Amino acid sequence: MRHSAPAEGKPAMPATATAPRFHGGGKITFENRPVPEPGPGQLLLRVAANAICGTDRGQYLDGSAVTPGHEAAGVVAAAGAGTAVLEGTRGVVFLMDYCGRCRSCRAGFTNLCLDKRADMGFTQDGGYGSYELVHESNFFPVPDDVGLTEATMLLDVMGTSGHAIARARLVRPDIESVYIAGAGPIGLGLLVMCKITLGAAVPVRISDVSPWRLEYARSFGAESVDARDPDALASMPEADVAFDSTGKQPARQAALSALGRRGVLVCAGHGETLQLSVSEDLIAPERAVLGSEYFAFDELPRNLGLLRDNRDLISRVITHTFDVRDIAEGFAVFLSGKSGKVIVTQGGGQ
Ligand SMILES: [Zn+2]
Ligand SMILES: [Zn+2]
């Protein structure tokens, strides 16, 4: 009955709210969608911000049955039965609606849940709409001193990157040089997280085809390599660890070739293949090639601490903010190759 008779002192929840619909071919329109009521264990968030991700390109070009957006931050507007999080709590949404009971989840690998209920923004409505329904278990509260636009940095930018670095460290604890293929949002996230967690003195080389991105990466202390120049790629000094954020085979091959002995390649961008000569590439130099998928929910508290300690540096990853009404313009800027992270906000973003 909340649609018609709110409890005393509480604002009425609207019956419907606006959400963008992705039709494909870059066409986005707005429509009114019913505002869901949170069931047991669920929270209804009023979304404040959602960061645009390279992965959204698929839904932007092909269309989507659900509202996209998987890097959301918002405020709990209504809490379902059996939840402990209070209305008004601010926080971010973890992509995987993990089960919490399977072997992966029990061991802490919530990013690899064997029985997940949904991928937010892909199989269930995500964060570009006014409201998002989540389970309490994949909502991570943030304190009031962290803005919600800034809080989206806890997700792909810090989370995915921090996890990839942790994966590399499993094999290579003594990292003294890094190469990153791709200076888009994930590459920039890797750069920032390398500077924060490995120390500013560890040299980080980064490549891209976009001169704008390379110049922006240099402002974070990276050395840059023009990925359009095969000679420059081939003559890079050896790196202890290489990250591929591009998903492109030539970039992956160049990253593998850039490794020295005991080198580790971490593939953090989905996409194309990688060709390996097992003896030459892996056995003789004892190199490793690892995959890295998003991050585990338990990594969020540490990253929140890092965000609060390094907020000026991390906030600089955000180059543009657009109100959701201008989401099409936000995507155009994001896809131009002349941006860092682009954030789509609702109601002023806080
Ligand atoms: Zn993403
Ligand atoms: Zn699970």
Side-chain angles (χ1 to χ4, degrees):
M1 309 315 102
R2 66 187 166 81
H3 294 328
S4 52
E8 211 176 321
K10 278 201 323 191
M13 196 73 70
T16 62
T18 314
R21 175 168 278 282
F22 287 45
H23 296 272
K27 184 181 172 195
I28 300 173
T29 59
F30 290 88
E31 60 184 21
N32 275 329
R33 303 277 300 272
V35 175
E37 196 147 356
Q42 292 182 322
L43 306 171
L44 180 68
L45 304 185
R46 193 169 51 252
V47 177
N50 191 103
I52 297 181
C53 175
T55 313
D56 295 343
R57 178 197 291 261
Q59 289 159 306
Y60 179 77
L61 294 176
D62 300 338
S64 173
V66 302
T67 305
H70 60 272
E71 296 190 49
V75 181
V76 176
T83 55
V85 173
L86 299 176
E87 287 177 24
T89 303
R90 306 152 73 260
V92 294
V93 180
F94 184 78
L95 168 64
M96 286 97 171
D97 188 0
Y98 60 92
C99 77
R101 296 180 307 273
C102 72
R103 184 177 174 191
S104 286
C105 285
R106 287 199 316 272
F109 300 104
T110 43
N111 53 329
L112 302 173
C113 174
L114 301 167
D115 193 24
K116 63 185 168 184
R117 290 172 286 231
D119 283 326
M120 305 306 299
F122 293 101
T123 62
Q124 186 177 316
D125 286 340
Y128 291 131
S130 315
Y131 290 91
E132 183 174 2
L133 189 65
V134 302
H135 275 98
E136 184 178 37
S137 49
N138 65 321
F139 175 75
F140 178 73
V142 300
D144 287 347
D145 65 289
V146 178
L148 289 174
T149 296
E150 186 184 18
T152 63
M153 295 297 95
L154 291 168
L155 302 168
D156 279 3
V157 168
M158 298 185 73
T160 302
S161 305
H163 186 71
I165 295 167
R167 297 275 296 149
R169 275 179 148 166
L170 288 174
V171 184
R172 186 69 191 252
D174 60 322
I175 301 172
E176 294 180 1
S177 55
V178 173
Y179 167 64
I180 300 168
I186 292 290
L188 216 48
L190 282 162
L191 167 58
V192 168
M193 288 296 273
C194 281
K195 290 291 175 191
I196 292 171
T197 63
L198 304 178
V202 171
V204 179
R205 199 171 299 275
I206 193 163
S207 67
D208 205 281
V209 294
S210 158
W212 188 96
R213 282 177 169 174
L214 289 180
E215 191 182 331
Y216 200 54
R218 281 196 294 272
S219 78
F220 289 86
E223 291 166 50
S224 65
V225 182
D226 187 341
R228 297 168 302 182
D229 179 354
D231 294 338
L233 280 179
S235 60
M236 288 189 295
E238 288 184 346
D240 291 345
V241 172
F243 298 98
D244 176 58
S245 70
T246 70
K248 303 278 189 229
Q249 189 186 358
R252 294 206 213 279
Q253 299 294 160
L256 182 67
S257 303
L259 292 174
R261 291 186 180 203
R262 298 193 295 123
V264 182
L265 168 62
V266 184
C267 296
H270 284 278
E272 298 171 8
T273 190
L274 170 71
Q275 202 158 6
L276 281 171
S277 169
V278 174
S279 289
E280 273 173 49
D281 292 330
L282 295 186
I283 296 177
E286 285 203 345
R287 289 183 188 139
V289 179
L290 304 178
S292 186
E293 173 75 334
Y294 200 55
F295 59 98
F297 188 83
D298 287 353
E299 293 174 68
L300 281 163
R302 174 178 181 253
N303 287 336
L304 176 61
L306 294 176
L307 175 60
R308 293 172 96 180
D309 290 345
N310 300 277
R311 55 202 324 165
D312 290 345
L313 181 69
I314 293 163
S315 293
R316 275 218 304 124
V317 173
I318 301 171
T319 53
H320 298 78
T321 302
F322 290 92
D323 184 86
V324 68
R325 284 167 300 199
D326 302 317
I327 187 171
E329 196 183 343
F331 268 89
V333 167
F334 182 79
L335 296 171
S336 73
K338 294 181 181 173
S339 77
K341 210 65 176 163
V342 177
I343 313 292
V344 175
T345 61
Q346 319 242 0
Q350 291 302 306

